[in-house]
Amino acid sequence: MKTDLSTYNNNWYQPGSKLKRFLWYFVNELFLKNRFNPSSSLKIFWLKRFGAKIGSGVVIKPSVNIKYPWKLTIGHHSWIGEEVWIDNLDDVTIADNVCISQGAFLICGNHNYKSPAFDLIVKPISIASGSWIGAKSIVGPGVTVGSHAVLSLGSVTSTDLDPYGIYRGNPALKIKTRTID
């Protein structure tokens, strides 16, 4: 068999009404992705209006891209850095006191390379309290990041990270255990 993209069909995937997605596209461009908008409160206002669940004390830096806010939960006192892309085709849950550093990429979708039609696959991402996703790191579909785990600079994970584990590389491997004094 060979890949045949002419047979690709993701009609089963309905992330929200066309109108809602259309309106969000413009709000996202104007208020979240816009590097000239430093206001976290304005971003949070719009995210909540589109269904995001966001705790208190959340900081969202400029140039953040969020696919579908109605599939996003962010706990209290978490930080989302510059140029973070949350491509949440499925639910993304970010717990309390989490730092997602600049340029990190959280991606809930992939394709089935074994299928001739290259079918879409979506899975949620969960990031537990106290975790840190380093700058330019990638968290793939279906990953659970354990409490206080660290994914270091430029690392890539497509598997779960243990609580308090420090991970590095592509693929990310556990290099030691995190201690907090």
Side-chain angles (χ1 to χ4, degrees), residues 23-90:
L23 292 173
W24 174 249
Y25 174 82
F26 290 103
V27 170
N28 192 34
E29 289 291 329
L30 289 171
F31 296 103
L32 273 82
K33 289 175 71 175
N34 184 344
R35 67 180 58 256
F36 299 110
N37 175 20
S39 170
S40 285
S41 59
L42 189 55
K43 292 177 193 116
I44 290 167
F45 169 83
W46 283 110
L47 285 165
K48 285 182 174 181
R49 292 307 160 274
F50 277 85
K53 297 171 193 74
I54 301 177
S56 61
V58 170
V59 174
I60 301 175
K61 294 293 192 169
S63 300
V64 169
N65 185 13
I66 296 173
K67 179 78 91 179
Y68 301 128
W70 49 93
K71 293 180 170 282
L72 179 64
T73 300
I74 303 174
H76 303 295
H77 306 287
S78 288
W79 302 343
I80 310 296
E82 293 92 345
E83 297 181 2
V84 165
W85 183 3
I86 301 176
D87 192 18
N88 56 334
L89 297 174
D90 204 332

Side-chain angles (χ1 to χ4, degrees), residues 20 23 25 28-29 41 59 63 67 84 92 100-101 103 115 120 122 135-136 141 143 146 148 169-170 173 176-177 179:
K20 186 178 192 178
L23 292 173
Y25 174 82
N28 192 34
E29 289 291 329
S41 59
V59 174
S63 300
K67 179 78 91 179
V84 165
V92 169
I100 311 289
S101 291
S115 165
L120 178 65
V122 296
K136 300 287 186 179
V143 170
H148 294 83
N170 179 9
L173 300 173
K176 59 181 162 179
T177 300
T179 57

